[in-house]
Amino acid sequence: MLMFISCYRLRDGGFASLRWKNILLFYVLRYCLLPGLLWFIARQLAPQYAAGVFLLSTLPAAVSSPAFASIFGGAIAPAFAIVIVSQLLTPFLIPLQFAMLGGIEATPSPAALFMTMVWCVFLPMSIYAITRRHHRSAAYIYSQNKIWSVLLVAFVIAMAIAKQRDVILSGEGLISALLVALCCFATYIAFGYYLFPKRPREERITYTTSSSFNNAALGVSLALLHFSAPVILFVAISEIGWALLPMMLGVFLRLTAR
């Protein structure tokens, strides 16, 4: 439901004059190579969070990332292109990445991950393709998009917290998990901004927002269905880091503007 409602935000984008070479290069480096690098670092420094870091890093760009790009002064059209490419390829990419990781670390079945992705990504996008031309419902969902998105995200987080309530109430490992998640988000911000240093600042801001604002709700859903308790806890706690992202990104952009 969250993916279906989020799809209505895609109508805001225009795709003329896009530098597809840069967008595809960004996609490969950000979603194919960076997760493995961060997993390797986490494996050395905080092995209990390595699988969670890997899952968090593979998640596609949030459908709300073009809105954040606009808020922070970025270009909107490339953000929409990144959202569409990353969302469409995610059902194939994440199972493939965890299949490659399976020989080193305990991971869920790639086939099970793929079927979950079909339900979470392909099915709602297919329904959206059919219903988006119904003007009355489209106008209503578009106007109420934010409130429904907030309610559905809250529902997903509540499920994750309920499943891990004993660990959360004990307070064990919460601070360390949050610090690791914040380090991940800080890395995503820096990666997006410095990947193309010669491009205009507004384009760099777009890559920064697309890199950092990921589909966290999808990560919580996957963790609940397929992963062990430590990964569920880490991804649920990472939602706090996601909520702090606007402040983190605002501070970062002010510092880099000097």
Side-chain angles (χ1 to χ4, degrees):
M1 289 182 65
L2 181 61
M3 176 60 71
F4 172 71
I5 289 173
S6 297
C7 284
Y8 282 87
R9 299 183 67 93
L10 297 176
R11 75 182 195 180
D12 292 337
F15 302 104
S17 303
L18 287 177
R19 297 176 64 90
W20 283 102
K21 180 179 179 181
N22 284 0
I23 290 173
L24 295 177
L25 179 60
F26 167 81
Y27 176 82
V28 171
L29 294 177
R30 169 60 181 85
Y31 298 105
C32 300
L33 299 182
L34 185 62
L37 175 61
L38 293 182
W39 171 84
F40 178 79
I41 295 173
R43 184 85 170 176
Q44 310 306 313
L45 301 178
Q48 70 273 29
Y49 298 121
V53 168
F54 189 74
L55 175 61
L56 186 68
S57 302
T58 59
L59 297 175
V63 181
S64 60
S65 58
F68 284 108
S70 176
I71 290 171
F72 288 104
I76 298 178
F80 275 107
I82 293 169
V83 167
I84 292 173
V85 171
S86 63
Q87 295 284 357
L88 287 176
L89 294 180
T90 288
F92 304 101
L93 183 64
I94 289 183
L96 177 61
Q97 287 173 308
F98 275 96
M100 296 172 63
L101 199 65
I104 307 173
E105 188 164 341
T107 61
S109 163
L113 277 176
F114 177 77
M115 288 309 300
T116 301
M117 293 294 197
V118 169
W119 284 101
C120 290
V121 179
F122 283 159
L123 181 63
M125 288 185 118
S126 299
I127 297 174
Y128 165 74
I130 297 171
T131 61
R132 66 189 179 92
R133 296 189 183 278
H134 186 267
H135 298 296
R136 184 173 297 180
S137 63
Y140 173 78
I141 295 175
Y142 184 81
S143 64
Q144 302 298 321
N145 192 282
K146 288 185 179 180
I147 183 63
W148 282 110
S149 295
V150 169
L151 290 174
L152 288 169
V153 168
F155 176 73
V156 173
I157 296 173
M159 288 181 62
I161 292 174
K163 191 167 184 178
Q164 295 298 307
R165 59 187 179 276
D166 294 334
V167 177
I168 291 174
L169 289 174
S170 70
E172 183 180 352
L174 296 186
I175 300 300
S176 58
L178 178 58
L179 290 175
V180 172
L182 289 175
C183 288
C184 289
F185 285 119
T187 302
Y188 304 154
I189 290 173
F191 177 87
Y193 190 78
Y194 292 110
L195 180 61
F196 300 115
K198 296 182 179 180
R199 297 304 303 159
R201 180 174 169 82
E202 67 171 11
E203 189 173 325
R204 298 173 70 185
I205 291 175
T206 297
Y207 288 118
T208 304
T209 54
S210 300
S211 175
S212 54
F213 287 97
N214 58 14
N215 194 336
L218 177 62
V220 176
S221 301
L222 291 176
L224 280 171
L225 290 171
H226 299 293
F227 288 85
S228 61
V231 177
I232 296 174
L233 178 63
F234 175 79
V235 177
I237 295 301
S238 72
E239 289 279 6
I240 300 175
W242 200 99
L244 295 174
L245 263 177
M247 181 184 68
M248 293 173 60
L249 184 55
V251 172
F252 177 84
L253 292 177
R254 282 196 296 271
L255 292 175
T256 55
R258 295 177 180 175

